[in-house]
Amino acid sequence: MKLSTRLALTVGGGVPVLIMACGWLLLSLIGDDLRQQQDAQLQARATVVAKNTKNFLDAAGTGQPVVEKARRQRLIKSTSGIGVWVTGPTGTVRAGPQFPSAQLPYSAPKPLKVTVEGRDWLVLSLPVAIDRKRDRPNLWLFSPDTVEEELALVRRRVYLGAAVALPTAGAVAWAIANQAVLPLRRLQRRTSGLDPRTSSARLEHVPTRIAEVDDLALTLQTVLNRYDEQVARTEEALATARSFAAAASHELRSPLTSIRVNLDVLAGPFELETAERAELLAELVAEQERLVGLLAMLRTLA
């Protein structure tokens, strides 16, 4: 597999994973922020609604229908966007989105998440007393919990971003990797045509300012230079061996030729005198000793 392909696959697979990891962290942070913001908004609205509820309860059952109606309308207007249940001496007042259950959590001094019929709600209960002795809650505020919906939207966008990033990152990484390995490919083409056995041409490298490529070219040049040095040493050794073989052949030929001549004379048809025969034998012994000495020197040299 090519290096550019490996880089493309690595980046193309790594970027979506990184996006998913960052998206998961982002979703966690956004979820915490949205919940805190939603709780804070509900508590802030509860402060206003509790004040209007107290005013309404103070006027309820006092025989002042005009005041009671005006405070009731003010209470309903202040519940825009949220649901409210108020229990009082004149009955129950309901306004805004209605909670799908007839039973509300009795104690929810802080926003409490409640799931009813597959839907999440935030519920908050407060005791808004008609007199100071009343301490049980008679005001409930509730609103649909939209955090999961908003998180689902963000989650879909993260998935979409990862799906788009997969081919895009792979293509961009492949293009960048191809451009990055271009000097390496050029070096490979220049070195593939070099054959030290048939040509004296050597690698000529222009620095590319890419450390890995320049180091590889320097290594190849060093290897080729060492090859040339080794070839030169081998040729020198062969020349020395040839010279030595020629000299040894000449040195061995002379005594062998002399021995052959003397043997031919001794084996000839002519009778030799005792002195001549003794001289020839002495020469044969001398040449034989000379041969033995040459062989001994060759063995020592070897």
Side-chain angles (χ1 to χ4, degrees), residues 61-266:
T62 59
Q64 299 177 345
V66 177
V67 176
E68 180 181 351
K69 182 178 180 180
R71 293 185 178 182
R72 179 189 178 95
Q73 291 178 349
R74 185 181 302 172
L75 170 61
I76 293 175
K77 288 181 179 179
S78 65
T79 62
S80 176
I82 62 173
V84 172
W85 284 13
V86 178
T87 59
T90 59
T92 302
V93 178
R94 302 183 181 184
Q98 291 303 298
F99 195 73
S101 175
Q103 184 176 2
L104 286 168
Y106 177 78
S107 178
K110 293 183 179 180
L112 177 65
K113 183 177 179 180
V114 178
T115 302
V116 180
E117 298 179 0
R119 188 175 184 182
D120 294 334
W121 294 78
L122 284 181
V123 180
L124 181 66
S125 64
L126 297 174
V128 180
I130 301 176
D131 54 46
R132 295 183 181 274
K133 295 181 180 180
R134 188 183 182 98
D135 58 356
R136 59 186 181 86
N138 58 344
L139 169 63
W140 287 269
L141 297 94
F142 44 88
S143 65
D145 187 359
T146 60
V147 172
E148 290 301 327
E149 296 178 0
E150 296 177 6
L151 289 178
L153 177 61
V154 177
R155 191 179 296 111
R156 287 194 297 271
R157 291 179 178 177
V158 170
Y159 292 156
L160 178 62
V164 173
L166 177 59
T168 303
V172 172
W174 183 80
I176 295 175
N178 270 340
Q179 188 66 26
V181 301
L182 187 60
L184 188 61
R185 290 181 178 175
R186 292 173 181 170
L187 178 62
Q188 186 270 335
R189 286 195 293 267
R190 288 197 298 268
T191 55
S192 61
L194 298 178
D195 190 352
R197 297 172 297 180
T198 60
S199 174
S200 60
R202 292 296 177 262
L203 178 63
E204 295 181 0
H205 178 69
V206 178
T208 61
R209 296 182 180 179
I210 301 176
E212 291 78 6
V213 177
D214 293 339
D215 291 344
L216 179 59
L218 180 61
T219 301
L220 291 174
Q221 289 176 336
T222 302
V223 171
L224 292 174
N225 291 335
R226 290 178 179 176
Y227 177 83
D228 292 339
E229 293 176 0
Q230 188 64 32
V231 169
R233 291 177 183 176
T234 303
E235 291 179 352
E236 182 180 356
L238 289 175
T240 303
R242 294 189 186 98
S243 176
F244 172 77
S249 176
H250 176 74
E251 292 296 328
L252 291 173
R253 187 183 297 112
S254 296
L256 289 174
T257 302
S258 177
I259 290 174
R260 179 60 184 269
V261 171
N262 290 331
L263 289 174
D264 289 341
V265 171
L266 288 174

Side-chain angles (χ1 to χ4, degrees), residues 253-270 272 275-291:
R253 187 183 297 112
S254 296
L256 289 174
T257 302
S258 177
I259 290 174
R260 179 60 184 269
V261 171
N262 290 331
L263 289 174
D264 289 341
V265 171
L266 288 174
F270 303 102
L272 298 176
E276 293 177 344
R277 182 179 291 276
E279 184 179 355
L280 288 176
L281 291 175
E283 288 182 2
L284 285 173
V285 173
E287 295 298 336
Q288 187 270 341
E289 290 177 352
R290 181 181 176 189
L291 283 175

